[in-house]
Amino acid sequence: MTDGSEDRRTPEGVRPAGGADVAAVRAVTDAAYRHYVARIGVVPMPMEADHAANVAAGRVFVTGEPVTGVVVVEPRGDHLFLDSVAVHPDAQGTGVGRRLLGFVDAHARALGLPEVRLYTNALMWENQEIYPRHGYEVLERRVDGPYDRVHYRKRLD
């Protein structure tokens, strides 16, 4: 890395993404979400995100060298919105996702935000098992355009 972001790692081993990470962010996100296209019948929104703009805005954090995990977050008034979590399939089951979710909690606390919110497609049933195990509760389920979403929140102590 030439942008110095490797010097800003958190205790969770997560660092802000820099411009040199954009290709890796795209690759990990695409690899993590690609298998959902056939299941849900549309391209998942994280695959269509403007990764360069998100990185430039400071909303993307990565872990691994090479990058194996990505989170995209956005502070919103009274909560931190977790827009995307992506773990490369080769790294799934190794604790990368757990480390990223731990970072998101710590980041929200550091920003003084009392909760984290997210949504997932209702057909991404794996996520509906994972998020409750990490303290998330269902707020609602609603259809937004072509997406049937389950909305979650996690209140932080």
Side-chain angles (χ1 to χ4, degrees), residues 81-131:
F81 178 65
L82 174 52
D83 189 36
S84 175
V85 177
V87 176
H88 193 281
D90 294 343
Q92 290 176 359
T94 65
V96 172
R98 182 173 47 253
R99 186 167 51 246
L100 290 170
L101 289 175
F103 164 78
V104 169
D105 291 354
H107 189 60
R109 285 184 181 104
L111 294 172
L113 298 172
E115 65 184 42
V116 177
R117 295 185 193 169
L118 63 88
Y119 54 73
T120 189
N121 192 289
L123 294 177
M124 295 179 181
W125 53 78
E126 303 91 337
N127 295 342
Q128 294 177 57
E129 295 175 8
I130 291 169
Y131 292 127

Side-chain angles (χ1 to χ4, degrees), residues 17-18 20-31 46 51-52 54-55 60-62 67 69-72 86:
D21 295 310
V22 172
V25 168
R26 178 175 290 107
V28 169
T29 300
D30 287 353
H51 301 293
N54 284 336
V55 167
V60 182
F61 297 83
V62 297
V67 173
V70 176
V71 291
V72 181

